[in-house]
Amino acid sequence: MRYKLKQIYCRPWTLSYLSVKLIESHYENNYGGALRRLNAITEELESLDFEKTPAHVLNGLKREQLLALNSTLLHELYFASMGGDGQPTKSMTDILGRDFGSLDRWRAEFRAMGYALGGGSGWVLLTYVPGDGRLINQYAADHTQAVASGVPILALDMYEHAYHLDFGANARAYVDTFLRNVDWPALERRYEDAAKVPGLRPLEQPEFGDIQGIGVEEVKEMMAAGTPVQVIDVRPRASVSRQEDIAEGAQWRDPEQLQQWIGELSKSEPVVVYCAYGFHVGCKTAIKLREAGFDAKYMNSGHSGWKAIGHPLLRT
Ligand SMILES: [Fe+2]
């Protein structure tokens, strides 16, 4: 396949304090150069006999392909990032406030990251992370450094070729100029597109109907806050004896002997049960407790989840 050139988004003659000569050179030589490299590498890869290609040759080509592909994508976003008046929209002000504390706090970090790359090279990206449903400012030392699953929506090119013609070594002036030229309405539209990208699907356990799960972090917060909750470890006896530890604040009860200990529980406080990984034993026990009239939930990820978040453990 052949990758195709994208039209430049920003109109170079409208940008304040960034010369047409600089933008043209950047687009034609650096973006265009990356695209030409990408197509040459892709063509070479398509002609290879993979059975006979030495590993180091394939490794080198695939690395160069990634560099060239990401370079084209990031340059396209860079040119799409400018062309505006630098005035944040109300919606983006609110979104950045949500994720960074305030618009000023976001801008201070983004700008400082650009300053910090002066004299070096790389990218500063505002990236949406679907799994977390939030934006982060991301550093990239070269074209290949990308947040897995992230969707960058604003790109600041900190390679010298992006500013040296106009600003010499004064990277700070370039960063400030970039921010004065951000096209915020376009950025808002890219955010809206990115926010539609779903994160990794949560685990579904249709065999247990609509039984509700609760996250380990949420349970930990309830316990730390002193919220009344009965946390019951229902790992099978064999599992407990093998692992020899239990989450602090939890009581172990044998899931095979439910009828012997169900009477100890209070119906006026919620019950959280968990097994080793949050699958069958925890779910089944929670279902039985709900049938008996308790406000019971199973805890996602189970005992393994407790350990993964570093919750204190006691020896059994
Ligand atoms: Fe560039």
Side-chain angles (χ1 to χ4, degrees):
M1 73 166 280
R2 285 193 70 76
Y3 293 88
K4 291 183 179 167
L5 193 80
K6 306 291 189 303
Q7 184 176 351
I8 194 167
Y9 275 75
C10 60
R11 289 154 178 80
W13 60 90
T14 66
L15 300 181
S16 54
Y17 308 109
L18 276 166
S19 68
V20 172
K21 187 179 173 189
L22 171 67
I23 297 292
E24 282 180 357
S25 166
H26 198 170
Y27 181 80
E28 293 164 14
N29 297 315
N30 304 101
Y31 169 56
L35 188 82
R36 293 192 297 275
R37 264 196 320 283
L38 175 60
N39 278 321
I41 296 162
T42 303
E43 201 173 309
E44 192 171 344
L45 279 163
E46 285 169 352
S47 71
L48 285 183
D49 179 345
F50 296 117
E51 300 295 323
K52 296 176 183 167
T53 305
H56 69 276
V57 172
L58 186 59
N59 283 339
L61 280 169
K62 292 306 288 187
R63 181 179 179 280
E64 290 300 317
Q65 186 188 40
L66 179 59
L67 274 167
L69 175 59
N70 268 7
S71 178
T72 60
L73 295 171
L74 290 170
H75 276 104
E76 285 160 9
L77 178 59
Y78 171 70
F79 293 120
S81 295
M82 295 182 291
D85 60 6
Q87 297 302 313
T89 61
K90 168 78 172 65
S91 178
M92 283 312 298
T93 300
D94 292 345
I95 290 159
L96 292 169
R98 177 197 70 191
D99 293 345
F100 294 87
S102 69
L103 170 70
D104 286 345
R105 180 73 188 160
W106 165 77
R107 185 164 31 216
E109 185 184 54
F110 191 90
R111 187 170 52 205
M113 289 166 70
Y115 292 168
L117 279 171
S121 59
W123 294 90
V124 182
L125 306 171
L126 176 62
T127 298
Y128 180 74
V129 184
D132 297 329
R134 61 155 296 169
L135 292 164
I136 62 163
N137 283 329
Q138 184 217 326
Y139 157 96
D142 67 31
H143 307 313
T144 63
Q145 291 191 328
V147 173
S149 87
V151 184
I153 60 170
L154 182 72
L156 168 61
D157 187 338
M158 286 308 300
Y159 287 77
E160 223 172 40
H161 65 238
Y163 61 89
H164 200 263
L165 264 177
D166 283 0
F167 300 93
N170 191 353
R172 285 179 168 243
Y174 161 65
V175 172
D176 293 345
T177 302
F178 171 84
L179 287 169
R180 275 200 297 274
N181 283 284
V182 167
D183 184 344
W184 283 88
L187 175 58
E188 184 177 319
R189 290 192 289 275
R190 283 195 298 277
Y191 173 81
E192 287 167 359
D193 291 342
K196 290 176 190 156
V197 177
L200 199 61
R201 281 172 178 261
L203 174 70
E204 291 175 7
Q205 303 194 79
E207 65 272 39
F208 300 118
D210 58 359
I211 178 74
Q212 279 190 311
I214 185 170
V216 279
E217 292 92 347
E218 210 175 328
V219 178
K220 187 179 178 184
E221 279 170 21
M222 287 171 77
M223 292 169 80
T227 307
V229 58
Q230 304 165 88
V231 181
I232 312 296
D233 178 336
V234 291
R235 281 174 295 164
R237 183 178 292 276
S239 173
V240 176
S241 55
R242 189 173 68 246
Q243 296 192 313
E244 298 178 333
D245 54 19
I246 185 168
E248 193 177 79
Q251 300 289 324
W252 180 77
R253 293 290 181 265
D254 187 344
E256 300 291 327
Q257 309 293 328
L258 178 70
Q259 291 311 321
Q260 290 183 16
W261 51 266
I262 195 168
E264 299 169 11
L265 299 177
S266 162
K267 286 190 176 170
S268 60
E269 290 181 5
V271 182
V272 171
V273 294
Y274 65 88
C275 53
Y277 310 112
F279 295 122
H280 296 82
V281 181
C283 291
K284 283 180 179 168
T285 308
I287 288 170
K288 285 178 190 163
L289 289 172
R290 291 188 76 81
E291 285 169 354
F294 291 91
D295 173 15
K297 291 177 179 169
Y298 78 94
M299 189 177 74
N300 300 329
S301 309
H303 183 70
S304 239
W306 279 120
K307 287 179 148 176
I309 64 165
H311 188 86
L313 296 165
L314 302 173
R315 302 289 290 177
T316 53

PDB file of all heavy atoms in Angstrom, residues 26 30-31 71 75 78-79 123 143 157-162 174, ligand 1:
ATOM      1  N   HIS A  26       9.137  22.975   6.820  1.00  0.00           N
ATOM      2  CA  HIS A  26       8.780  21.888   7.735  1.00  0.00           C
ATOM      3  C   HIS A  26       7.877  20.874   7.028  1.00  0.00           C
ATOM      4  O   HIS A  26       8.094  19.662   7.110  1.00  0.00           O
ATOM      5  CB  HIS A  26       8.067  22.494   8.954  1.00  0.00           C
ATOM      6  CG  HIS A  26       8.027  21.606  10.150  1.00  0.00           C
ATOM      7  ND1 HIS A  26       7.614  22.042  11.390  1.00  0.00           N
ATOM      8  CD2 HIS A  26       8.336  20.298  10.316  1.00  0.00           C
ATOM      9  CE1 HIS A  26       7.676  21.040  12.246  1.00  0.00           C
ATOM     10  NE2 HIS A  26       8.100  19.965  11.620  1.00  0.00           N
ATOM     11  N   ASN A  30      10.352  17.901   6.109  1.00  0.00           N
ATOM     12  CA  ASN A  30      10.310  16.977   7.239  1.00  0.00           C
ATOM     13  C   ASN A  30       9.092  16.057   7.183  1.00  0.00           C
ATOM     14  O   ASN A  30       9.229  14.830   7.270  1.00  0.00           O
ATOM     15  CB  ASN A  30      10.368  17.747   8.555  1.00  0.00           C
ATOM     16  CG  ASN A  30      11.604  18.636   8.606  1.00  0.00           C
ATOM     17  OD1 ASN A  30      11.510  19.849   8.377  1.00  0.00           O
ATOM     18  ND2 ASN A  30      12.764  18.055   8.824  1.00  0.00           N
ATOM     19  N   TYR A  31       7.912  16.649   7.032  1.00  0.00           N
ATOM     20  CA  TYR A  31       6.717  15.805   6.884  1.00  0.00           C
ATOM     21  C   TYR A  31       6.794  15.033   5.564  1.00  0.00           C
ATOM     22  O   TYR A  31       6.629  13.806   5.531  1.00  0.00           O
ATOM     23  CB  TYR A  31       5.455  16.671   6.942  1.00  0.00           C
ATOM     24  CG  TYR A  31       4.194  15.940   6.528  1.00  0.00           C
ATOM     25  CD1 TYR A  31       3.799  14.763   7.164  1.00  0.00           C
ATOM     26  CD2 TYR A  31       3.394  16.420   5.490  1.00  0.00           C
ATOM     27  CE1 TYR A  31       2.645  14.089   6.775  1.00  0.00           C
ATOM     28  CE2 TYR A  31       2.241  15.755   5.092  1.00  0.00           C
ATOM     29  CZ  TYR A  31       1.876  14.587   5.735  1.00  0.00           C
ATOM     30  OH  TYR A  31       0.748  13.919   5.355  1.00  0.00           O
ATOM     31  N   SER A  71       6.060   9.633  12.557  1.00  0.00           N
ATOM     32  CA  SER A  71       6.473  10.984  12.184  1.00  0.00           C
ATOM     33  C   SER A  71       5.417  11.637  11.291  1.00  0.00           C
ATOM     34  O   SER A  71       5.047  12.797  11.498  1.00  0.00           O
ATOM     35  CB  SER A  71       7.827  10.948  11.465  1.00  0.00           C
ATOM     36  OG  SER A  71       8.189  12.248  11.065  1.00  0.00           O
ATOM     37  N   HIS A  75       3.231  14.798  12.612  1.00  0.00           N
ATOM     38  CA  HIS A  75       3.327  16.057  11.870  1.00  0.00           C
ATOM     39  C   HIS A  75       1.950  16.504  11.368  1.00  0.00           C
ATOM     40  O   HIS A  75       1.630  17.694  11.381  1.00  0.00           O
ATOM     41  CB  HIS A  75       4.319  15.919  10.700  1.00  0.00           C
ATOM     42  CG  HIS A  75       5.737  16.134  11.120  1.00  0.00           C
ATOM     43  ND1 HIS A  75       6.642  15.107  11.274  1.00  0.00           N
ATOM     44  CD2 HIS A  75       6.404  17.263  11.460  1.00  0.00           C
ATOM     45  CE1 HIS A  75       7.807  15.601  11.678  1.00  0.00           C
ATOM     46  NE2 HIS A  75       7.694  16.906  11.803  1.00  0.00           N
ATOM     47  N   TYR A  78       0.384  18.036  14.252  1.00  0.00           N
ATOM     48  CA  TYR A  78       1.049  19.312  14.559  1.00  0.00           C
ATOM     49  C   TYR A  78       0.482  20.442  13.685  1.00  0.00           C
ATOM     50  O   TYR A  78       0.097  21.494  14.191  1.00  0.00           O
ATOM     51  CB  TYR A  78       2.552  19.158  14.336  1.00  0.00           C
ATOM     52  CG  TYR A  78       3.342  20.445  14.414  1.00  0.00           C
ATOM     53  CD1 TYR A  78       3.526  21.110  15.631  1.00  0.00           C
ATOM     54  CD2 TYR A  78       3.921  20.999  13.274  1.00  0.00           C
ATOM     55  CE1 TYR A  78       4.260  22.292  15.700  1.00  0.00           C
ATOM     56  CE2 TYR A  78       4.655  22.174  13.332  1.00  0.00           C
ATOM     57  CZ  TYR A  78       4.823  22.810  14.549  1.00  0.00           C
ATOM     58  OH  TYR A  78       5.547  23.973  14.614  1.00  0.00           O
ATOM     59  N   PHE A  79       0.413  20.193  12.383  1.00  0.00           N
ATOM     60  CA  PHE A  79      -0.102  21.240  11.498  1.00  0.00           C
ATOM     61  C   PHE A  79      -1.587  21.495  11.754  1.00  0.00           C
ATOM     62  O   PHE A  79      -2.076  22.605  11.557  1.00  0.00           O
ATOM     63  CB  PHE A  79       0.134  20.875  10.023  1.00  0.00           C
ATOM     64  CG  PHE A  79       1.593  20.861   9.654  1.00  0.00           C
ATOM     65  CD1 PHE A  79       2.201  19.707   9.171  1.00  0.00           C
ATOM     66  CD2 PHE A  79       2.379  21.990   9.813  1.00  0.00           C
ATOM     67  CE1 PHE A  79       3.548  19.694   8.835  1.00  0.00           C
ATOM     68  CE2 PHE A  79       3.733  21.995   9.490  1.00  0.00           C
ATOM     69  CZ  PHE A  79       4.318  20.842   9.004  1.00  0.00           C
ATOM     70  N   TRP A 123       8.637  15.416  21.221  1.00  0.00           N
ATOM     71  CA  TRP A 123       7.264  15.914  21.085  1.00  0.00           C
ATOM     72  C   TRP A 123       6.656  16.139  22.460  1.00  0.00           C
ATOM     73  O   TRP A 123       6.960  15.403  23.408  1.00  0.00           O
ATOM     74  CB  TRP A 123       6.382  14.883  20.362  1.00  0.00           C
ATOM     75  CG  TRP A 123       6.746  14.641  18.929  1.00  0.00           C
ATOM     76  CD1 TRP A 123       7.637  13.711  18.465  1.00  0.00           C
ATOM     77  CD2 TRP A 123       6.243  15.330  17.781  1.00  0.00           C
ATOM     78  NE1 TRP A 123       7.714  13.779  17.099  1.00  0.00           N
ATOM     79  CE2 TRP A 123       6.860  14.765  16.645  1.00  0.00           C
ATOM     80  CE3 TRP A 123       5.326  16.367  17.597  1.00  0.00           C
ATOM     81  CZ2 TRP A 123       6.601  15.200  15.354  1.00  0.00           C
ATOM     82  CZ3 TRP A 123       5.055  16.797  16.315  1.00  0.00           C
ATOM     83  CH2 TRP A 123       5.691  16.220  15.201  1.00  0.00           C
ATOM     84  N   HIS A 143       9.800   9.777  17.706  1.00  0.00           N
ATOM     85  CA  HIS A 143       8.476   9.527  17.111  1.00  0.00           C
ATOM     86  C   HIS A 143       7.835   8.232  17.605  1.00  0.00           C
ATOM     87  O   HIS A 143       6.624   8.066  17.481  1.00  0.00           O
ATOM     88  CB  HIS A 143       8.589   9.436  15.582  1.00  0.00           C
ATOM     89  CG  HIS A 143       9.268  10.607  14.948  1.00  0.00           C
ATOM     90  ND1 HIS A 143       8.964  11.908  15.250  1.00  0.00           N
ATOM     91  CD2 HIS A 143      10.259  10.664  14.014  1.00  0.00           C
ATOM     92  CE1 HIS A 143       9.723  12.718  14.531  1.00  0.00           C
ATOM     93  NE2 HIS A 143      10.521  11.992  13.782  1.00  0.00           N
ATOM     94  N   ASP A 157       5.790  20.082  18.156  1.00  0.00           N
ATOM     95  CA  ASP A 157       7.031  19.518  17.603  1.00  0.00           C
ATOM     96  C   ASP A 157       8.208  20.260  18.223  1.00  0.00           C
ATOM     97  O   ASP A 157       8.326  21.488  18.082  1.00  0.00           O
ATOM     98  CB  ASP A 157       6.999  19.716  16.075  1.00  0.00           C
ATOM     99  CG  ASP A 157       8.152  19.028  15.358  1.00  0.00           C
ATOM    100  OD1 ASP A 157       9.178  18.766  15.990  1.00  0.00           O
ATOM    101  OD2 ASP A 157       7.994  18.773  14.146  1.00  0.00           O
ATOM    102  N   MET A 158       9.066  19.541  18.943  1.00  0.00           N
ATOM    103  CA  MET A 158      10.217  20.188  19.581  1.00  0.00           C
ATOM    104  C   MET A 158      11.530  19.796  18.919  1.00  0.00           C
ATOM    105  O   MET A 158      12.590  19.911  19.530  1.00  0.00           O
ATOM    106  CB  MET A 158      10.239  19.871  21.087  1.00  0.00           C
ATOM    107  CG  MET A 158       9.190  20.607  21.905  1.00  0.00           C
ATOM    108  SD  MET A 158       9.169  22.430  21.676  1.00  0.00           S
ATOM    109  CE  MET A 158      10.830  22.873  22.191  1.00  0.00           C
ATOM    110  N   TYR A 159      11.465  19.339  17.676  1.00  0.00           N
ATOM    111  CA  TYR A 159      12.701  19.157  16.913  1.00  0.00           C
ATOM    112  C   TYR A 159      13.159  20.536  16.436  1.00  0.00           C
ATOM    113  O   TYR A 159      12.326  21.409  16.141  1.00  0.00           O
ATOM    114  CB  TYR A 159      12.478  18.219  15.720  1.00  0.00           C
ATOM    115  CG  TYR A 159      12.325  16.768  16.138  1.00  0.00           C
ATOM    116  CD1 TYR A 159      11.131  16.310  16.687  1.00  0.00           C
ATOM    117  CD2 TYR A 159      13.384  15.871  16.007  1.00  0.00           C
ATOM    118  CE1 TYR A 159      11.000  14.988  17.088  1.00  0.00           C
ATOM    119  CE2 TYR A 159      13.253  14.552  16.398  1.00  0.00           C
ATOM    120  CZ  TYR A 159      12.059  14.117  16.941  1.00  0.00           C
ATOM    121  OH  TYR A 159      11.918  12.812  17.340  1.00  0.00           O
ATOM    122  N   GLU A 160      14.460  20.703  16.347  1.00  0.00           N
ATOM    123  CA  GLU A 160      14.994  22.025  16.001  1.00  0.00           C
ATOM    124  C   GLU A 160      14.463  22.532  14.658  1.00  0.00           C
ATOM    125  O   GLU A 160      14.284  23.734  14.457  1.00  0.00           O
ATOM    126  CB  GLU A 160      16.528  21.963  15.973  1.00  0.00           C
ATOM    127  CG  GLU A 160      17.159  23.162  16.628  1.00  0.00           C
ATOM    128  CD  GLU A 160      18.656  23.031  16.772  1.00  0.00           C
ATOM    129  OE1 GLU A 160      19.299  22.524  15.833  1.00  0.00           O
ATOM    130  OE2 GLU A 160      19.175  23.432  17.822  1.00  0.00           O
ATOM    131  N   HIS A 161      14.211  21.596  13.723  1.00  0.00           N
ATOM    132  CA  HIS A 161      13.737  22.031  12.409  1.00  0.00           C
ATOM    133  C   HIS A 161      12.391  22.756  12.484  1.00  0.00           C
ATOM    134  O   HIS A 161      11.989  23.426  11.547  1.00  0.00           O
ATOM    135  CB  HIS A 161      13.650  20.836  11.426  1.00  0.00           C
ATOM    136  CG  HIS A 161      12.639  19.798  11.811  1.00  0.00           C
ATOM    137  ND1 HIS A 161      12.954  18.468  12.023  1.00  0.00           N
ATOM    138  CD2 HIS A 161      11.298  19.874  12.036  1.00  0.00           C
ATOM    139  CE1 HIS A 161      11.869  17.802  12.333  1.00  0.00           C
ATOM    140  NE2 HIS A 161      10.842  18.623  12.353  1.00  0.00           N
ATOM    141  N   ALA A 162      11.678  22.582  13.629  1.00  0.00           N
ATOM    142  CA  ALA A 162      10.360  23.204  13.771  1.00  0.00           C
ATOM    143  C   ALA A 162      10.464  24.685  14.114  1.00  0.00           C
ATOM    144  O   ALA A 162       9.471  25.415  13.995  1.00  0.00           O
ATOM    145  CB  ALA A 162       9.553  22.483  14.846  1.00  0.00           C
ATOM    146  N   TYR A 174       9.517  30.000  20.807  1.00  0.00           N
ATOM    147  CA  TYR A 174       8.758  29.152  19.872  1.00  0.00           C
ATOM    148  C   TYR A 174       7.568  28.494  20.574  1.00  0.00           C
ATOM    149  O   TYR A 174       6.442  28.488  20.042  1.00  0.00           O
ATOM    150  CB  TYR A 174       9.693  28.102  19.277  1.00  0.00           C
ATOM    151  CG  TYR A 174       8.993  26.904  18.671  1.00  0.00           C
ATOM    152  CD1 TYR A 174       8.168  27.033  17.562  1.00  0.00           C
ATOM    153  CD2 TYR A 174       9.151  25.635  19.238  1.00  0.00           C
ATOM    154  CE1 TYR A 174       7.523  25.928  17.019  1.00  0.00           C
ATOM    155  CE2 TYR A 174       8.522  24.528  18.705  1.00  0.00           C
ATOM    156  CZ  TYR A 174       7.696  24.677  17.595  1.00  0.00           C
ATOM    157  OH  TYR A 174       7.064  23.592  17.068  1.00  0.00           O
TER     158      TYR A 174
HETATM  159 FE    FE B   1       8.921  18.230  12.626  1.00  0.00          FE
END
